[in-house]
Amino acid sequence: MRLFDTMERAYKEMSALDGRTFRFYCCGPTVYGPAHIGNFRTFVLQDVFRRTLETGGQRTMHVRNLTDVDDKTIRESRQAGKTLTEFTGFWTRQFHQDCDKLHCLSPHVEPSAVAHIPQQVAMIGDLVENGHAYKSDDGSVYFNIASFADYGKLSRLDDRELEIGRSHAQRASSDEYEKQSVSDFVLWKHRRPEDGENFWTSPWGEGRPGWHLECSAMIREYLGDTFDLHSGGVDLVFPHHENEIAQSICACGGHFASCWFHIAHLMVDGGKMSKSLGNLYTLEDLAHLGWSAMEVRYVLISGHYRKPLNFTFDSLHAAREALAKLSKAAAILAEKVTSPTAIDSVDFGPFQPAWESLNDDLNTAGALGGIFTVLRDASKIEGLEAAKTLAALNRMLGALGLILPEPLQKIDIPAEIRAIAEERQAVRQVKNWAQSDVLRDLLEERGWLVKDGKNGYELSPR
Ligand code: AMP
Ligand code: ZN
């Protein structure tokens, strides 16, 4: 597989540095509320990335953290009148449930920041000792960006921006800040009254780690100083990933990540879907409106990950239709497999172009297009070919993490609905279109859509 590397702005071949296991890290959720489907665009694409590697026979090691201590988790837990652990524990469970619904594989390791405070303190100690960090007069410890020559390389900060940041010795103590404020960033935050009981001891006094440091310390613990790939949404390029690189390389040596995989945003009406803008949808919101998590997953993989994707309800309708079509084609193929067929080598058969798309910078849109091109002629595929095609289709769907809905024919249709549809069929035989329309409306009123085709009609829930 090749993938576009944000650091080099070039495609890179994805092969494991150690020749065995592809080891990668994804910045995980900040567990202070429900994740929205924008967050899940990133997590689902990371899941497709892993599934594609694994489907191609590559062993993986997937590490994704839980940000369970930072400005937001502390503020919100105190507002909710809960301890930090109670509060983040609740939202972590919700996050896991949503991941399951979306059919995302669990990471092999899911470290929590709170459970790795000693590792973070140790890392700050190394940075202070080797001259990359200093304690300021506000009692906090900062990373000195002027001490790291490659600062700004990932986000391509220009010299002017860096010059301003360095010469003015600005300091950022909040976990998140904009590109305009290139500055020394906080590693250890001195305890403040608004932190409540959320503080730990360290050689620099009571306080808590800064957000950027958490990832670096957990990466050092589970992946060492050099590993295959690091990933997150594009909003993390600056300052978060820039800061991770600086801390990790200065504390551990090594090269840190060999490749950077950033996912473009899910948008709503031209703006980024985000908690702060309040334009978000959660899986639960959409479930209330009758949309399944699999339909959401389909929408999220329907565009290329490097382009922003606009979320609309039309795209959910299209996803529902596409999944139903896939399901129907799979059922047609399954019917043709009369006896259990032993398929020795499962390659991608007619889906080879779709598989190649997926391996070419994770082109999920191209892969879906390739699948539909093959399935258009599903009814013409016979015998052993049908069995092979079905097996290859399942392999492709496995790489995309899609689960098909039950073919519509298998949905239980109540007898009275079936009777109305049959009556409609009879009036159509005698070309009584007016009555046919009346009966169509009646079916719709009762919650069923009827679609006429060459081989009769089909009913589906509205
Ligand atoms: P957070 O929980 O805010 O730390 O974010 C978790 C992940 O979601 C990060 O990788 C973010 O970059 C990503 N993310 C946040 N908003 C969006 C969005 N609208 N579209 C895609 N990814 C996003
Ligand atoms: Zn991170």
Side-chain angles (χ1 to χ4, degrees), residues 66-85:
L66 292 165
T67 298
D68 53 2
V69 52
D70 77 330
D71 294 348
K72 294 189 270 200
T73 43
I74 291 181
R75 187 184 62 230
E76 302 282 328
S77 63
R78 282 170 59 79
Q79 265 171 22
K82 301 246 163 67
T83 65
L84 186 64
T85 319

Side-chain angles (χ1 to χ4, degrees), residues 154-229:
L154 179 72
S155 49
R156 308 239 157 149
L157 290 175
D158 64 30
D159 290 346
R160 202 184 64 85
E161 287 167 308
L162 279 169
E163 203 45 50
I164 295 173
R166 285 173 177 158
S167 62
H168 289 73
Q170 302 182 72
R171 288 187 199 127
S173 61
S174 73
D175 280 331
E176 284 169 278
Y177 50 92
E178 301 296 324
K179 205 162 170 173
Q180 296 85 298
S181 51
V182 174
S183 48
D184 288 358
F185 58 90
V186 73
L187 301 171
W188 184 258
K189 293 193 187 213
H190 186 60
R191 181 182 171 191
R192 295 167 310 177
E194 59 267 36
D195 292 337
E197 293 309 301
N198 303 305
F199 65 88
W200 290 264
T201 53
S202 82
W204 315 281
E206 290 172 339
R208 63 183 168 95
W211 168 46
H212 310 296
L213 185 84
E214 299 177 0
C215 287
S216 283
M218 291 187 267
I219 288 171
R220 181 193 225 178
E221 179 83 5
Y222 296 102
L223 295 170
D225 61 14
T226 306
F227 55 102
D228 292 296
L229 175 135

Side-chain angles (χ1 to χ4, degrees), residues 436-461:
S436 163
D437 287 346
V438 169
L439 293 168
R440 170 191 291 274
D441 291 345
L442 183 62
L443 285 168
E444 270 203 51
E445 244 170 60
R446 308 256 174 111
W448 292 83
L449 291 178
V450 62
K451 199 165 154 193
D452 301 302
K454 266 191 272 156
N455 307 321
Y457 66 91
E458 225 173 60
L459 286 166
S460 58

Side-chain angles (χ1 to χ4, degrees), residues 25-28 65 67 211-216 218-219 230-232 236 240-241 244 256 260:
Y25 184 86
C26 304
C27 294
N65 75 300
T67 298
W211 168 46
H212 310 296
L213 185 84
E214 299 177 0
C215 287
S216 283
M218 291 187 267
I219 288 171
H230 194 314
S231 175
L236 298 189
H240 185 57
H241 288 162
E244 279 190 35
F256 204 47
W260 288 87

Side-chain angles (χ1 to χ4, degrees), residues 5 41 108 134 151 186 315 344 421 442:
D5 172 26
R41 182 182 196 202
H108 300 102
Y134 59 92
Y151 193 82
V186 73
S315 59
D344 28 293
L442 183 62

